[in-house]
Amino acid sequence: MLSSYTSPFSATAVTKLEHAGARMIGTSNMDEFGMGSLNQSSVHGPAHNLHPENGNVLHSPGGSSGGSAAAVAARMCRVALGSDTGGSVRLPASWCGVVGFKPSYGRVSRYGLVSYASSLDSVGILARSTRDIRDTFNIISAPDPHDMTCMSKSLRSRIDTLCASREWISHNTIASEPLKGVRVGVPSEFWVDELSPSAIDAWKRGAAKLESLGCDVIPVSLPHTPHTLPAYYTLALAEASSNLARFDGIRFGTRHPPTQSTRASLKYAQTRTMGFGDEVKRRILLGTFVMSARAYENYYLPSQRIRRLVQREFNRIFAMPNALCTTNTKTDARNVDKVDAILFPTATDTAPVQGSNNGLSAYVNDVMTVSANMAGIPAISVPFGLCEGMPL
């Protein structure tokens, strides 16, 4: 659809990195319009995972930002940017063995990011270390007048004040237990049927490692988590149907005129039929159905209610108040039911063989990641070992 289109401006995140001295070496492969979790719906063909080394079988790097993760894993670049709507930075990071970070919604400007689902999209960062993630985030996280959803300076100051109020964390000086006082929650609802034994083992080892560093690891509950994935796809596809309506071959996109008829509707139809890939067309059709009169009340509105309940559940379990919902600048430090972070696997298993995970199972890959996007909270995926040569 955009093969002959050249953007007249750069994304805000790219511009800020260039001003800080970064060199942009190119664009990376990804699923068309960010729609996919396997990097198999790219117009350039699938990207490939480098793991296992010297292996004869090609594995998926994950999607949609699989090309960025593969480039970082191959040491072609130190840092790469990606688009994260429901896990499209963190899932590739998990499968490629790198660090993937999705900031809070509004922390990084979306100006220049092609919209998939505007209320869920975030610019994410992939790197080989958390230090590189931090340094890059500090550069691109800033107010932007071009993006009305980007956090204001006053809101950022309020968040910084809340972070500084966590005295029981920032003032810890115990060398043997550097994370003393930090509470980490383990949500039981993420123990889904699709979790592989290797993912469960990594989850348990991760919790044990945090405990050895001084963390208090406690169980928490997020009751609406099982409903998050269907609600996510309902909302994301509805927004995608609206956002992609602009690609009609007249304002944006390569035009494919019909051979005979001159009816305007057929001009649009031919362009969109020829210009979009199968996965994009599938999601547009489903999103258009969701926004129809009857489906809107039966699917879209209940999904919005689920989203709000998911947000409230995260607000309930975190010690630091949600700065969007309160003007309070004090963190609930001593409430034993509150936690500072939650821990669970990024993916249900290691990367599948390229081309072997199609159909409904491709959508299930997002089950562990979509909650953060629905709630608008930050999330990070950190490598934690190998299983049969594949990263976890």
Side-chain angles (χ1 to χ4, degrees):
M1 177 61 77
L2 296 176
S3 59
S4 60
Y5 178 76
T6 301
S7 176
F9 59 89
S10 293
T12 296
V14 173
T15 300
K16 288 187 176 297
L17 287 173
E18 289 178 331
H19 289 169
R23 293 184 180 181
M24 299 298 161
I25 62 174
T27 56
S28 55
N29 199 1
M30 66 180 298
D31 287 296
E32 185 181 6
F33 287 98
M35 298 183 182
S37 58
L38 297 170
N39 213 285
Q40 293 179 174
S41 61
S42 169
V43 296
H44 305 292
H48 299 307
N49 199 327
L50 295 181
H51 298 275
E53 294 183 4
N54 302 320
N56 296 321
V57 180
L58 294 175
H59 289 75
S60 170
S64 61
S65 302
S68 294
V72 172
R75 297 182 179 271
M76 297 171 64
C77 58
R78 183 173 175 180
V79 173
L81 299 180
S83 165
D84 194 309
T85 306
S88 295
V89 162
R90 290 160 287 150
L91 183 63
S94 173
W95 285 354
C96 291
V98 299
V99 182
F101 175 61
K102 183 203 85 71
S104 298
Y105 183 81
R107 266 290 194 173
V108 178
S109 171
R110 293 188 299 111
Y111 183 70
L113 176 66
V114 177
S115 296
Y116 167 12
S118 301
S119 70
L120 300 165
D121 293 338
S122 295
V123 175
I125 309 168
L126 297 111
R128 290 189 297 276
S129 70
T130 54
R131 176 174 296 179
D132 286 340
I133 294 284
R134 181 199 62 191
D135 293 343
T136 304
F137 175 71
N138 288 339
I139 293 171
I140 65 176
S141 175
D144 182 16
H146 295 108
D147 180 10
M148 298 305 295
T149 65
C150 194
M151 290 183 183
S152 64
K153 186 176 181 179
S154 60
L155 179 56
R156 293 169 189 268
S157 298
R158 194 187 313 161
I159 294 173
D160 292 341
T161 302
L162 284 169
C163 292
S165 70
R166 300 181 301 167
E167 297 180 356
W168 73 99
I169 295 176
S170 58
H171 292 172
N172 178 40
T173 58
I174 304 176
S176 61
E177 295 183 332
L179 298 181
K180 184 70 174 179
V182 178
R183 296 194 189 96
V184 176
V186 177
S188 58
E189 288 80 8
F190 281 88
W191 195 290
V192 297
D193 294 338
E194 293 81 7
L195 270 182
S196 66
S198 58
I200 294 173
D201 178 67
W203 194 2
K204 292 179 178 178
R205 288 189 291 113
K209 179 65 175 178
L210 290 174
E211 283 186 315
S212 70
L213 295 173
C215 287
D216 296 322
V217 179
I218 61 175
V220 294
S221 180
L222 298 164
H224 287 90
T225 296
H227 308 294
T228 305
L229 185 63
Y232 160 80
Y233 271 109
T234 299
L235 299 176
L237 301 192
E239 293 188 33
S241 174
S242 175
N243 280 327
L244 270 62
R246 71 192 70 176
F247 300 106
D248 52 15
I250 296 178
R251 292 168 294 179
F252 297 99
T254 302
R255 186 180 302 184
H256 296 275
T259 56
Q260 297 178 346
S261 176
T262 59
R263 290 171 54 190
S265 60
L266 290 182
K267 291 182 180 180
Y268 296 139
Q270 181 72 2
T271 292
R272 292 167 67 81
T273 298
M274 300 297 294
F276 288 133
D278 291 341
E279 181 63 28
V280 175
K281 287 186 283 190
R282 183 181 299 113
R283 298 194 183 200
I284 289 175
L285 289 172
L286 289 171
T288 303
F289 167 75
V290 166
M291 296 304 290
S292 63
R294 182 174 299 179
Y296 180 84
E297 295 183 356
N298 292 336
Y299 300 106
Y300 184 80
L301 291 181
S303 296
Q304 287 285 23
R305 296 188 187 102
I306 290 173
R307 181 178 190 176
R308 182 50 57 90
L309 290 171
V310 169
Q311 292 170 340
R312 289 175 179 173
E313 286 175 357
F314 280 111
N315 291 342
R316 173 179 54 81
I317 68 170
F318 283 132
M320 192 170 80
N322 188 336
L324 293 173
C325 302
T326 179
T327 57
N328 178 25
T329 57
K330 293 294 184 180
T331 303
D332 196 353
R334 296 297 92 193
N335 191 325
V336 296
D337 296 327
K338 304 281 188 175
V339 297
D340 302 293
I342 57 176
L343 175 72
F344 56 88
T346 303
T348 57
D349 204 349
T350 55
V353 174
Q354 192 72 269
S356 66
N357 196 3
N358 294 314
L360 185 61
S361 59
Y363 297 91
V364 178
N365 289 324
D366 297 329
V367 66
M368 308 298 287
T369 56
V370 296
S371 293
N373 297 83
M374 292 283 277
I377 60 176
I380 189 168
S381 175
V382 180
F384 199 74
L386 300 172
C387 177
E388 298 181 357
M390 298 302 297
L392 280 167

